Amino acid sequence: MKRHGILNPALSRALARMGHTDAIVICDAGLPIPDGPERIDLSLLPGVPSFQYVLAAIMAELQIERAQIATEFAEHSRKLHDETISRMDAHTEVQGAPIAIERISHEDLKHATRNARAIVRTGECTPFANVILYSGVLF
């Protein structure tokens, strides 16, 4: 049995398969998930697990080059948005390179999810709590 890191087999496998520039989505409970990307549904109850909890777990295991968030996230869910940006800024020190954050419309973000390797659905019920993380490279 694994002792450290993500224990969920589907999520652990998806992260292990990530290559440079591959995308993984962490989304709230309401984001429509297109056919194509692997769906990893972690939702249990409203708010469980939270978007921030899942984001922290994935960020601990993945080298992240850039991220996309919806402009509506800051407009409608300022507190969670600011926590997300702070987490990404703090992660810069851990991985040694900043995470470039691109803000796009929610419609464009939904369209971009089609190209992700996997979409991780949380129990988060905060509007627009979605992020696309693009894998970096360790060297």
Side-chain angles (χ1 to χ4, degrees), residues 1-8 12 61:
M1 178 175 185
K2 269 185 87 172
R3 292 182 55 192
H4 303 288
I6 292 174
L7 300 178
N8 180 284
S12 184
E61 295 205 16

PDB file of all heavy atoms in Angstrom, residues 1-8 12 61:
ATOM      1  N   MET A   1       0.830  -1.178   0.000  1.00  0.00           N
ATOM      2  CA  MET A   1       0.000   0.000   0.000  1.00  0.00           C
ATOM      3  C   MET A   1       0.877   1.246   0.000  1.00  0.00           C
ATOM      4  O   MET A   1       1.863   1.301   0.721  1.00  0.00           O
ATOM      5  CB  MET A   1      -0.894  -0.016   1.240  1.00  0.00           C
ATOM      6  CG  MET A   1      -1.774   1.175   1.370  1.00  0.00           C
ATOM      7  SD  MET A   1      -2.884   0.958   2.778  1.00  0.00           S
ATOM      8  CE  MET A   1      -3.853   2.405   2.559  1.00  0.00           C
ATOM      9  N   LYS A   2       0.497   2.233  -0.813  1.00  0.00           N
ATOM     10  CA  LYS A   2       1.230   3.504  -0.828  1.00  0.00           C
ATOM     11  C   LYS A   2       1.201   4.155   0.540  1.00  0.00           C
ATOM     12  O   LYS A   2       0.185   4.134   1.209  1.00  0.00           O
ATOM     13  CB  LYS A   2       0.577   4.470  -1.832  1.00  0.00           C
ATOM     14  CG  LYS A   2       1.145   4.405  -3.213  1.00  0.00           C
ATOM     15  CD  LYS A   2       0.509   5.480  -4.089  1.00  0.00           C
ATOM     16  CE  LYS A   2       1.285   6.767  -3.927  1.00  0.00           C
ATOM     17  NZ  LYS A   2       0.882   7.806  -4.865  1.00  0.00           N
ATOM     18  N   ARG A   3       2.306   4.758   0.915  1.00  0.00           N
ATOM     19  CA  ARG A   3       2.389   5.424   2.216  1.00  0.00           C
ATOM     20  C   ARG A   3       2.275   6.933   2.099  1.00  0.00           C
ATOM     21  O   ARG A   3       1.948   7.598   3.072  1.00  0.00           O
ATOM     22  CB  ARG A   3       3.717   5.086   2.882  1.00  0.00           C
ATOM     23  CG  ARG A   3       3.822   3.636   3.278  1.00  0.00           C
ATOM     24  CD  ARG A   3       5.105   3.347   3.977  1.00  0.00           C
ATOM     25  NE  ARG A   3       5.247   4.261   5.115  1.00  0.00           N
ATOM     26  CZ  ARG A   3       6.367   4.423   5.788  1.00  0.00           C
ATOM     27  NH1 ARG A   3       7.439   3.753   5.455  1.00  0.00           N
ATOM     28  NH2 ARG A   3       6.428   5.247   6.795  1.00  0.00           N
ATOM     29  N   HIS A   4       2.576   7.484   0.943  1.00  0.00           N
ATOM     30  CA  HIS A   4       2.622   8.941   0.796  1.00  0.00           C
ATOM     31  C   HIS A   4       1.924   9.362  -0.495  1.00  0.00           C
ATOM     32  O   HIS A   4       1.831   8.589  -1.444  1.00  0.00           O
ATOM     33  CB  HIS A   4       4.076   9.427   0.741  1.00  0.00           C
ATOM     34  CG  HIS A   4       4.887   9.026   1.918  1.00  0.00           C
ATOM     35  ND1 HIS A   4       4.721   9.587   3.158  1.00  0.00           N
ATOM     36  CD2 HIS A   4       5.850   8.092   2.064  1.00  0.00           C
ATOM     37  CE1 HIS A   4       5.562   9.031   4.007  1.00  0.00           C
ATOM     38  NE2 HIS A   4       6.259   8.109   3.361  1.00  0.00           N
ATOM     39  N   GLY A   5       1.497  10.584  -0.497  1.00  0.00           N
ATOM     40  CA  GLY A   5       0.914  11.132  -1.715  1.00  0.00           C
ATOM     41  C   GLY A   5      -0.522  10.697  -1.932  1.00  0.00           C
ATOM     42  O   GLY A   5      -1.199  10.216  -1.022  1.00  0.00           O
ATOM     43  N   ILE A   6      -0.967  10.847  -3.133  1.00  0.00           N
ATOM     44  CA  ILE A   6      -2.351  10.567  -3.499  1.00  0.00           C
ATOM     45  C   ILE A   6      -2.587   9.063  -3.520  1.00  0.00           C
ATOM     46  O   ILE A   6      -1.868   8.318  -4.186  1.00  0.00           O
ATOM     47  CB  ILE A   6      -2.672  11.223  -4.852  1.00  0.00           C
ATOM     48  CG1 ILE A   6      -2.654  12.742  -4.664  1.00  0.00           C
ATOM     49  CG2 ILE A   6      -4.004  10.743  -5.402  1.00  0.00           C
ATOM     50  CD1 ILE A   6      -2.818  13.551  -5.915  1.00  0.00           C
ATOM     51  N   LEU A   7      -3.614   8.637  -2.804  1.00  0.00           N
ATOM     52  CA  LEU A   7      -3.940   7.217  -2.710  1.00  0.00           C
ATOM     53  C   LEU A   7      -4.957   6.773  -3.753  1.00  0.00           C
ATOM     54  O   LEU A   7      -4.993   5.603  -4.118  1.00  0.00           O
ATOM     55  CB  LEU A   7      -4.484   6.887  -1.317  1.00  0.00           C
ATOM     56  CG  LEU A   7      -3.544   7.164  -0.152  1.00  0.00           C
ATOM     57  CD1 LEU A   7      -4.238   6.846   1.165  1.00  0.00           C
ATOM     58  CD2 LEU A   7      -2.253   6.380  -0.289  1.00  0.00           C
ATOM     59  N   ASN A   8      -5.791   7.683  -4.241  1.00  0.00           N
ATOM     60  CA  ASN A   8      -6.811   7.323  -5.225  1.00  0.00           C
ATOM     61  C   ASN A   8      -6.115   6.772  -6.462  1.00  0.00           C
ATOM     62  O   ASN A   8      -5.297   7.460  -7.090  1.00  0.00           O
ATOM     63  CB  ASN A   8      -7.644   8.555  -5.576  1.00  0.00           C
ATOM     64  CG  ASN A   8      -8.708   8.250  -6.597  1.00  0.00           C
ATOM     65  OD1 ASN A   8      -8.422   8.116  -7.780  1.00  0.00           O
ATOM     66  ND2 ASN A   8      -9.945   8.169  -6.134  1.00  0.00           N
ATOM     67  N   SER A  12      -3.851   8.976  -9.056  1.00  0.00           N
ATOM     68  CA  SER A  12      -2.416   8.691  -9.020  1.00  0.00           C
ATOM     69  C   SER A  12      -1.911   8.284 -10.412  1.00  0.00           C
ATOM     70  O   SER A  12      -0.867   8.751 -10.878  1.00  0.00           O
ATOM     71  CB  SER A  12      -2.132   7.592  -8.001  1.00  0.00           C
ATOM     72  OG  SER A  12      -0.753   7.367  -7.881  1.00  0.00           O
ATOM     73  N   GLU A  61       2.256  17.010  -6.081  1.00  0.00           N
ATOM     74  CA  GLU A  61       2.808  15.914  -6.877  1.00  0.00           C
ATOM     75  C   GLU A  61       3.144  16.276  -8.316  1.00  0.00           C
ATOM     76  O   GLU A  61       3.766  15.486  -9.012  1.00  0.00           O
ATOM     77  CB  GLU A  61       1.828  14.739  -6.871  1.00  0.00           C
ATOM     78  CG  GLU A  61       1.662  14.150  -5.493  1.00  0.00           C
ATOM     79  CD  GLU A  61       1.222  12.709  -5.509  1.00  0.00           C
ATOM     80  OE1 GLU A  61       1.318  12.052  -6.556  1.00  0.00           O
ATOM     81  OE2 GLU A  61       0.790  12.244  -4.452  1.00  0.00           O
TER      82      GLU A  61
END
